Amino acid sequence: MSELSNRQMIVRTVFQIMTVKVLLKICFAKDVIPANFVFGDSLVDAGNNNYIASLSKANFVPNGIDFGGPTGRFTNGRTIVDIIGQELGLPGFTPPYLAPTARGPAVLQGINYASGGGGILNDTGNIFGGRINFDAQLDNFENTRQDIISTIGVSATLELLQSSLFSVTMGSNDFINNYFTPIVSAEEQKLVPPQVFVASMIARFKLQLTRLYSLGARKIIVVNVGPIGCIPYERDLNPTAGTSCASRPNQLAQLFNTELRNLIKELTTSLKGSIFVYADVYRIVDDMIQNYRAYGFDSGSFACCYIAGSFGGLIPCGPSSKVCLDRSKYIFWDPFHPSDAANVIIAKRLLDGDSNDVFPINIRQLANV
């Protein structure tokens, strides 16, 4: 037998042993979900955009300053899904789909498909060039699903997916980097009423979430759009609002969220065996902003990582940015994204909150169903 054949046999044997170890851990772990599959935008991107040609990247300092260095996460530390995974006892952080580490037995514990600039609609985020929108993320999940089937078979794969958590954090970019894109979208806003644009988002989202279900997902958390009119970027773009949030972006977010909540109820009723959970991040973040001092923050409107703007929202966070000394005192890390400290509060309310925060059950209850 050749040296190459021996090496291939050793590699195959090691892979099989690692796979069995992962499966045994899944079978015997108590109160731990077997896998976590993440879809979304820059709020939960763990580094997929590092591997594509895109203007939407975060793999440089000072991003990750409290994470040990930049990883491609658009914050100073962890994302909401990182924190939820830790709280639920998952080993390590769910790897990004395009990373070399997202191969072999690792896929049995979940993959992160999220991409900065991504949206529900396929033309969302065009200004960034490369990004992975929800349809393409679902294509990538379908590839992962086939890899899992090749490893453990169809029956075991379906059982794994039905017990796993799936989360979708989408929609913000469809407003910020599509309908409200400065200058570029001015004509679209004249021609397409907000209600029509939101209806197109909901119609597309329904097809996408139904496809996710058809691929085996059953426990699905859908995060609504937060108060985007309150992010430093929108505050600086709308100076006439003064110290208040920009009203129009928030109005459209609320319009979308109302329709989304109805969609979630409809899907749970129509798709047998599914549990769709509506995560009201708008309510949680709005409460944090309005009562920021009660939550221990010094600022509920200014970006910790900033260059220019009354709220530090005009230029994205980068190597030449100034950074606040105590990141735990700021809700916003940069012009668009929450800080690690804010993400901790959001994650814990989604994990253990009541039906005002997360409906019909919270994430911890969903994980144990």
Side-chain angles (χ1 to χ4, degrees):
M1 188 178 288
S2 69
E3 183 181 340
L4 179 61
S5 297
N6 282 331
R7 190 178 299 121
Q8 289 174 332
M9 184 175 293
I10 291 169
V11 170
R12 189 180 301 114
T13 302
V14 169
F15 176 81
Q16 289 170 341
I17 292 170
M18 290 174 67
T19 300
V20 169
K21 281 185 173 181
V22 170
L23 288 172
L24 286 172
K25 190 183 294 183
I26 289 169
C27 290
F28 292 105
K30 292 182 180 179
D31 300 323
V32 177
I33 56 169
N36 186 28
F37 295 93
V38 179
F39 303 84
D41 52 31
S42 57
L43 292 170
V44 291
D45 187 351
N48 280 308
N49 280 21
N50 298 352
Y51 302 93
I52 62 176
S54 175
L55 294 176
S56 179
K57 287 181 180 284
N59 57 341
F60 45 77
V61 294
N63 293 299
I65 190 171
D66 298 307
F67 197 86
T71 60
R73 288 169 171 81
F74 291 76
T75 185
N76 61 303
R78 298 161 296 171
T79 67
I80 296 169
V81 293
D82 288 333
I83 297 161
I84 288 173
Q86 287 179 315
E87 289 288 322
L88 292 178
L90 286 173
F93 296 112
T94 305
Y97 174 76
L98 294 177
T101 54
R103 301 291 180 271
V107 303
L108 298 175
Q109 293 175 301
I111 297 293
N112 185 319
Y113 304 91
S115 169
I120 295 168
L121 304 175
N122 286 320
D123 56 352
T124 289
N126 277 332
I127 58 171
F128 299 119
R131 75 277 182 221
I132 310 168
N133 285 321
F134 194 18
D135 281 322
Q137 291 182 32
L138 289 169
D139 291 340
N140 291 338
F141 170 63
E142 195 158 4
N143 293 334
T144 299
R145 181 179 181 271
Q146 192 55 51
D147 290 341
I148 297 173
I149 289 173
S150 299
T151 304
I152 63 175
V154 174
S155 179
T157 297
L158 293 178
E159 186 176 339
L160 172 72
L161 297 180
Q162 287 172 7
S163 301
S164 300
L165 279 189
F166 291 77
S167 62
V168 182
T169 306
M170 283 282 188
S172 296
N173 283 316
D174 294 283
F175 295 113
I176 298 170
N177 295 306
N178 188 333
Y179 195 72
F180 286 128
T181 306
I183 303 172
V184 178
S185 67
E187 197 60 33
E188 181 181 13
Q189 290 184 46
K190 292 178 184 176
L191 296 174
V192 181
Q195 294 83 353
V196 173
F197 184 77
V198 166
S200 69
M201 287 177 64
I202 291 294
R204 188 77 212 159
F205 213 16
K206 180 178 180 179
L207 294 174
Q208 293 163 335
L209 293 173
T210 301
R211 181 184 175 195
L212 183 58
Y213 168 86
S214 71
L215 291 170
R218 291 297 179 268
K219 301 178 180 182
I220 305 170
I221 304 147
V222 183
V223 180
N224 70 3
V225 173
I228 51 176
C230 299
I231 63 175
Y233 169 76
E234 288 293 346
R235 286 180 186 265
D236 274 330
L237 279 189
N238 297 274
T240 56
T243 58
S244 300
C245 300
S247 60
R248 193 153 183 260
N250 278 356
Q251 288 168 0
L252 262 71
Q254 289 173 312
L255 176 63
F256 172 79
N257 291 343
T258 299
E259 296 301 319
L260 177 61
R261 188 176 179 113
N262 293 333
L263 175 61
I264 296 307
K265 291 178 181 177
E266 176 190 335
L267 291 175
T268 298
T269 301
S270 63
L271 300 178
K272 184 180 178 182
S274 69
I275 306 175
F276 282 86
V277 168
Y278 176 80
D280 196 349
V281 167
Y282 187 106
R283 181 180 187 274
I284 296 169
V285 175
D286 184 57
D287 181 42
M288 290 165 61
I289 291 170
Q290 301 305 322
N291 304 287
Y292 65 92
R293 291 199 182 279
Y295 283 95
F297 295 106
D298 289 342
S299 173
S301 59
F302 200 87
C304 168
C305 181
Y306 67 98
I307 297 178
S310 299
F311 298 93
L314 290 180
I315 300 174
C317 180
S320 60
S321 300
K322 297 176 183 178
V323 179
C324 63
L325 292 176
D326 189 350
R327 274 81 64 183
S328 70
K329 296 298 183 181
Y330 284 72
I331 289 179
F332 293 102
W333 159 243
D334 67 5
F336 306 94
H337 307 98
S339 64
D340 180 280
N343 283 336
V344 167
I345 295 170
I346 297 166
K348 289 189 174 178
R349 285 182 63 169
L350 293 180
L351 273 164
D352 299 309
D354 61 24
S355 59
N356 291 311
D357 287 342
V358 54
F359 178 87
I361 56 176
N362 62 41
I363 293 177
R364 200 179 300 277
Q365 290 167 335
L366 178 67
N368 290 319
V369 168

